[in-house]
Amino acid sequence: MKFLTTNFVQCAVQSCARSSDAFPLKYSECQLVQKEIDFDPEFIAHMLQKLDWDALVEVAAELGNSSLPPQKPTIEDAQAAENEQLLRDLHSLLLETQIEQGVMTCKNCGHLYHIKNFIPNFLLPPHLA
Amino acid sequence: MATVIHVTKTVPVTNDAAEQILSDLDSSLLHDSVANQLERVQRDLRGLPPQRSEEKPPSNGPEDAVYIYISSAYMEDEHVHKVYEQIAHHFSSTRYKPWPKVDSFLKSRPTGAVGCDIGGGNGKYLRYPQVFTIGSDRSENLTSIASERAMVSANDVFRGDGMHTAYCRGRFDFAISIAVVHHFSTPERRIAAVKAVLETLSTHGECLIYVWALEQEKSRRGWHEGMDQDVMVPWVDNHDSGKVVQRRGRLYY
């Protein structure tokens, strides 16, 4: 599970769908691994626009990274030299930082989801499906 | 009848909207019996063509309806999910080529678009470098295969259900549901599955939904070679006292 993906998944329980507490999930007991992915500055600059930055900062802190700025950085020119370091840092955080195993908890209903072998499991038990 | 529909989300997601899409896709699927559905699933999994002569007439009795409703989740589990789990590796090895309509839809997504592939199986559509696609599937084995592809590219994958998805609502630029919806065994569940696809989309998000055609080569349902494939599909906007608006839609036959 890429760190980027934590910005796009929420609790799968139907009654949590409209709750603002169902996203982001709370991440704990996580084991992180860095995996090399090809760097594409345009892609990262576009991705930055799609991010829910508050959720990103919150999850990053849960995973031990408290160095993100509270406000989303803006990048107008992905090819400009002065933006390269920031884009590389974001690339490393969003795509290369991957959760090998861990637990995700819904802050609304408390349901636990597990990540094993990099794959989050959002299947619900029969009484919730 | 259409087997694939390309929808631009313009109005709130309702059951009616989902039902309309299903009926645009193939109205007979909505009224087909569970037995026929399963037979079709199993024939497809074995690589056999649909066999219409053996299809049983749909049963419409009220007792049947109750039975179908109660047992549908079990039937899907027994006849769809377990089958896919068993055949995952063989299935995957035969499903590597993107379907042309899906390919052109995904190729035309802009750089940095965020998408989901619900019921994406082995992740064969996680191959478009300009977009970030999160695939999901129920099958553990297929998801593992997809994960190998996703891990080394700008994509991702998780295990999940097509009716109760973990995708953030309203955040995705595009969604695809390729040969998935027909696996749900009742009209109610198929409506829920289409609704789940629509709910992932942002306001002007676009989705592509593909189902199996009941009859691919016969023109019994009125379509013949040379007919226009682009049509306007009315979309009932429930938030505007049932006013019918035209939305952009494309049907492929």
Side-chain angles (χ1 to χ4, degrees), chain B residues 74-142:
Chain B
Y74 168 77
M75 297 280 264
E76 285 163 19
D77 192 46
E78 204 52 33
H79 296 279
V80 181
H81 309 147
K82 285 184 183 165
V83 174
Y84 272 115
E85 210 65 279
Q86 282 163 19
I87 64 162
H89 287 275
H90 170 73
F91 179 81
S92 179
S93 69
T94 62
R95 303 288 200 285
Y96 53 88
K97 242 180 116 177
W99 293 3
K101 303 281 198 262
V102 186
D103 191 49
S104 67
F105 175 80
L106 291 173
K107 272 184 180 148
S108 64
R109 298 305 99 197
T111 298
V114 178
C116 51
D117 182 0
I118 305 176
N122 66 355
K124 74 172 172 177
Y125 294 115
L126 305 178
R127 62 165 76 205
Y128 299 85
Q130 88 283 17
V131 296
F132 175 57
T133 309
I134 306 178
S136 63
D137 203 277
R138 279 198 76 96
S139 161
E140 183 174 15
N141 291 339
L142 287 174

Side-chain angles (χ1 to χ4, degrees), chain B:
Chain B
M1 233 20 197
T3 54
V4 58
I5 186 164
H6 177 169
V7 179
T8 304
K9 180 173 165 181
T10 52
V11 291
V13 176
T14 60
N15 278 347
D16 287 351
E19 200 169 347
Q20 180 63 49
I21 286 173
L22 277 167
S23 69
D24 292 345
L25 276 166
D26 192 331
S27 57
S28 60
L29 273 179
L30 273 172
H31 303 292
D32 207 6
S33 70
V34 168
N36 285 351
Q37 290 279 324
L38 292 174
E39 192 177 308
R40 204 173 307 116
V41 168
Q42 294 191 325
R43 291 188 69 83
D44 181 71
L45 294 178
R46 295 192 199 105
L48 301 171
Q51 203 171 55
R52 257 179 298 150
S53 57
E54 285 183 12
E55 282 188 7
K56 300 157 194 78
S59 41
N60 297 315
E63 293 85 1
D64 265 359
V66 172
Y67 168 76
I68 287 169
Y69 181 75
I70 292 170
S71 65
S72 53
Y74 168 77
M75 297 280 264
E76 285 163 19
D77 192 46
E78 204 52 33
H79 296 279
V80 181
H81 309 147
K82 285 184 183 165
V83 174
Y84 272 115
E85 210 65 279
Q86 282 163 19
I87 64 162
H89 287 275
H90 170 73
F91 179 81
S92 179
S93 69
T94 62
R95 303 288 200 285
Y96 53 88
K97 242 180 116 177
W99 293 3
K101 303 281 198 262
V102 186
D103 191 49
S104 67
F105 175 80
L106 291 173
K107 272 184 180 148
S108 64
R109 298 305 99 197
T111 298
V114 178
C116 51
D117 182 0
I118 305 176
N122 66 355
K124 74 172 172 177
Y125 294 115
L126 305 178
R127 62 165 76 205
Y128 299 85
Q130 88 283 17
V131 296
F132 175 57
T133 309
I134 306 178
S136 63
D137 203 277
R138 279 198 76 96
S139 161
E140 183 174 15
N141 291 339
L142 287 174
T143 308
S144 300
I145 296 167
S147 171
E148 289 167 23
R149 195 191 295 267
M151 216 183 296
V152 294
S153 64
N155 296 294
D156 215 342
V157 77
F158 62 79
R159 273 192 87 191
D161 180 87
M163 277 167 49
H164 306 277
T165 81
Y167 294 104
C168 286
R169 308 297 191 264
R171 294 270 312 280
F172 290 82
D173 303 307
F174 69 92
I176 57 172
S177 165
I178 309 303
V180 175
V181 173
H182 50 250
H183 286 317
F184 290 90
S185 55
T186 66
E188 291 79 12
R189 294 172 72 81
R190 290 195 282 275
I191 287 168
V194 171
K195 219 173 144 187
V197 175
L198 296 174
E199 279 174 341
T200 66
L201 294 176
S202 60
T203 307
H204 296 291
E206 296 182 71
C207 65
L208 193 74
I209 300 174
Y210 227 122
V211 298
W212 290 330
L214 276 179
E215 297 158 18
Q216 273 150 345
E217 67 280 59
K218 306 288 178 205
S219 58
R220 209 178 70 181
R221 290 196 182 78
W223 181 78
H224 53 83
E225 288 284 323
M227 256 176 89
D228 195 352
Q229 297 187 358
D230 287 320
V231 296
M232 293 300 283
V233 182
W235 182 298
V236 180
D237 184 350
N238 282 9
H239 287 247
D240 192 1
S241 35
K243 191 181 93 185
V244 176
V245 297
Q246 296 291 324
R247 67 182 154 73
R248 212 180 92 204
R250 181 181 291 164
L251 305 179
Y252 297 97
Y253 296 84

Side-chain angles (χ1 to χ4, degrees), chain A residues 1-4 33-40 43-44 47 89-98, chain B residues 132 151 153-155:
Chain A
M1 182 186 203
K2 294 184 170 65
F3 183 75
L4 177 57
V33 175
Q34 290 291 122
K35 297 232 174 213
E36 203 177 314
I37 309 262
D38 293 340
F39 175 54
D40 177 353
F43 179 90
I44 298 295
M47 213 45 63
D89 289 347
L90 283 169
H91 169 76
S92 166
L93 174 72
L94 298 174
L95 295 180
E96 296 189 324
T97 303
Q98 306 198 10
Chain B
F132 175 57
M151 216 183 296
S153 64
N155 296 294

